[in-house]
Amino acid sequence: MSQTLEQRARWRRLPGATPEVALDAAAIRDAYRRWSTIYDVVFGGVSSVARKRAAALVNHLPGRAVLEVGVGTGLALPRYVPDKRIVGIDLSAEMLALARKRVAELGLRNVDHLLEMDAEATEFADGQFDTAVAMFVASVVPNPRRLLAELRRVVRPGGNILFVNHFAAEGGPRWWVERAMAPASRRLGWHPDFAMRALFEPEEIAGMEVGSTPPFGIFTLVRLRNEA
């Protein structure tokens, strides 16, 4: 990378409202069943820079075993270097079918498994991965902090956990738009008003490495070290 995350990152607190509309597995599956065939067109472009930066950071981190949570249609899979061994999980069978097709068409031999699995309760062993990356997932799962706890479990001590996500604005016009969209969370399949404090404790936020990404800084790349 021409510029590391450490060079781009800025330390900050991001307060905001906790999402008011609950999502469950059925709502998520239903939403992404609808989104699956148009996901790449509708969301692939706007998320491409954030996805590219996250994959580039994964490529520069130590260790080979990588878990991608919310792998979706596999948009990030071609961006990993060949010596990284990738396991991807998702709750949507329709999205996974498209990811498997992408892997086959591109001949991505470093993708070991694509599995339908609940990110909050995986079947992996403790410390199985060197790195876990969750792209655009934290605002989708029913219990974000349970997701974080599960990633801490399956990543080895000293490994890395990365999140790429949209987090709610602190104020201004975007805050009003996000709040107005919040009642549609179940149909959208994600929380427009998702606050960083819904995922992390305040003391964790104070010590994390955080960098905003284009377009317009609406996505945030977070890196935290999995302490023993």
Side-chain angles (χ1 to χ4, degrees), residues 24-57:
D24 53 32
I28 295 165
R29 285 192 175 97
D30 184 58
Y32 283 90
R33 185 179 300 112
R34 296 192 304 269
W35 280 109
S36 60
T37 57
I38 60 172
Y39 181 88
D40 290 4
V41 174
V42 173
F43 192 63
V46 72
S47 65
S48 61
V49 174
R51 201 182 304 272
K52 181 179 180 180
R53 287 189 181 178
L57 180 56

Side-chain angles (χ1 to χ4, degrees), residues 154-227:
V154 302
V155 171
R156 63 172 174 80
N160 289 274
I161 300 172
L162 278 60
F163 286 93
V164 179
N165 216 82
H166 165 79
F167 293 103
E170 299 178 43
R174 203 183 90 193
W175 182 88
W176 288 103
V177 172
E178 291 164 349
R179 296 295 291 169
M181 292 174 63
S185 294
R186 288 182 66 86
R187 183 158 184 83
L188 289 170
W190 59 285
H191 286 293
D193 59 337
F194 183 75
M196 186 172 277
R197 71 183 186 193
L199 177 61
F200 303 108
E201 297 288 353
E203 58 271 21
E204 292 175 312
I205 295 174
M208 288 187 318
E209 189 176 306
V210 180
S212 61
T213 70
F216 313 114
I218 63 172
F219 298 122
T220 300
L221 175 58
V222 175
R223 175 187 175 188
L224 57 151
R225 189 174 178 83
N226 196 33
E227 301 297 340

Side-chain angles (χ1 to χ4, degrees), residues 12-110:
R12 55 181 175 165
R13 287 183 179 271
L14 294 176
T18 301
E20 297 176 355
V21 179
L23 293 175
D24 53 32
I28 295 165
R29 285 192 175 97
D30 184 58
Y32 283 90
R33 185 179 300 112
R34 296 192 304 269
W35 280 109
S36 60
T37 57
I38 60 172
Y39 181 88
D40 290 4
V41 174
V42 173
F43 192 63
V46 72
S47 65
S48 61
V49 174
R51 201 182 304 272
K52 181 179 180 180
R53 287 189 181 178
L57 180 56
V58 169
N59 291 338
H60 282 78
L61 291 174
R64 300 183 67 201
V66 176
L67 172 65
E68 185 179 332
V69 179
V71 67
T73 63
L75 283 169
L77 295 177
R79 298 191 178 278
Y80 298 115
V81 293
D83 67 333
K84 298 292 185 182
R85 308 305 307 182
I86 311 299
V87 174
I89 65 172
D90 204 282
L91 201 57
S92 169
E94 290 79 11
M95 301 282 266
L96 284 169
L98 295 172
R100 293 185 183 109
K101 181 180 179 182
R102 190 187 303 274
V103 167
E105 289 177 347
L106 297 179
L108 302 178
R109 298 181 180 178
N110 63 329

Side-chain angles (χ1 to χ4, degrees), residues 113-140:
H113 303 287
L114 294 173
L115 305 170
E116 186 176 346
M117 194 177 292
D118 184 349
E120 295 180 6
T122 72
E123 300 170 14
F124 303 119
D126 293 356
Q128 183 170 333
F129 299 96
D130 299 300
T131 302
V133 54
M135 302 189 199
F136 317 107
V137 173
S139 53
V140 171

Side-chain angles (χ1 to χ4, degrees), residues 5-6 129 146:
L5 179 61
E6 286 83 359
F129 299 96
R146 190 177 299 170

